[in-house]
Amino acid sequence: MSTRWIFRSLAGLLLTVAVPAAMAQAQLTVTLSNVFVQWQGSAPAGTDPDPLFVERDHGIATDATTRGRSALADGRMQAYSSSFNYPEGTVASYAGITVSFENTGTAPLVLAAGDLRANLDVSMLRIAGVGPGGNAGNTVIGVLGGQLPGVGGGAARLDYQHFDRDGGRPPIINVNEIETGGFVVVPAIDPFGLALSATLSAPAFTVGVGQSFQVQALLQQWSSAGNSDTMSWFAETDGYFGGNGLQLFLDLPAGVTVISPVPLTWVAAAVPEPTTLSLMLAGLVVVMCRRPRGTA
């Protein structure tokens, strides 16, 4: 039995194992996307606050004045608000992303629980005055939801409020977790109310060939500073600076590709499985089997 015959037999075996696995593969195509930022400040009673709204398809919505940003490419939503003794007390800022994917490949896409998720990070500051009837507070809402095949609609939502009050009264703190459709909220809250983080996760789901799923994420923030004779009430809610905000992540199985109007850095495929290595070895064996012409 010749060495060349052994090499060719090995190459055939490797190709037989590797090629079928590579023939059928899922592929995600972005079919719809929308990003937005919105800001609304205080307004005198009985007047239209005229909120700013910026919306973009397949791109970046940003407003330097209000410090709001939302981008499809990096999957990050950022918002900032601060309030200093506004008569109406509240300044709000919003940022959101909606994106739809279709499996345009030739095999189902199987995703485990947590493969689709969003990380929330917000820092907060409150300066309490001494005047009567005043307060300084932060409100943060983070949402991850969507429509998933075999699951339907669902969402993970975290609502957080922290208000410091005058007269040495204890603060008002409210935390509300809403979980539907198998989505999960895992919060981590600073005991002093100066930082808030959470992981919002989707359940396991499978996207068949030709099926679609939609992802929706939203960051909402309010800063509230109440009336005070001393004009010293201040509140800041920062989901913008220092990497803060709401960040999307989608982990894909090895080999799954994504077709999108812009590269999506928040969508990542796993390291290729040994099948890819088998193909490389098979090619190497084929090359070794070739003998230079004129060699005895």
Side-chain angles (χ1 to χ4, degrees), residues 254-280:
V256 177
T257 56
V258 178
I259 299 176
S260 171
V262 295
L264 305 181
T265 59
W266 54 280
V267 179
V271 176
E273 299 176 353
T275 297
T276 303
L277 180 59
S278 299
L279 284 170
M280 295 173 62

Side-chain angles (χ1 to χ4, degrees), residues 120-126 138 140 158 160-162 173 175 187-198 221 236-239 244:
L120 174 67
D121 285 291
V122 175
S123 60
M124 293 165 283
L125 175 65
R126 295 172 304 280
N138 312 105
V140 179
L158 176 64
Y160 176 79
Q161 292 180 321
H162 188 123
I173 301 175
V175 181
I189 302 171
D190 181 279
F192 300 100
L194 300 179
L196 172 68
S197 63
Q221 298 180 172
E236 177 185 68
T237 311
D238 180 11
N244 287 345

Side-chain angles (χ1 to χ4, degrees), residues 146-173:
Q147 292 284 337
L148 310 178
V151 176
R157 171 172 169 161
L158 176 64
D159 293 17
Y160 176 79
Q161 292 180 321
H162 188 123
F163 289 90
D164 288 339
R165 301 185 290 172
D166 65 294
R169 293 179 294 169
I172 298 174
I173 301 175

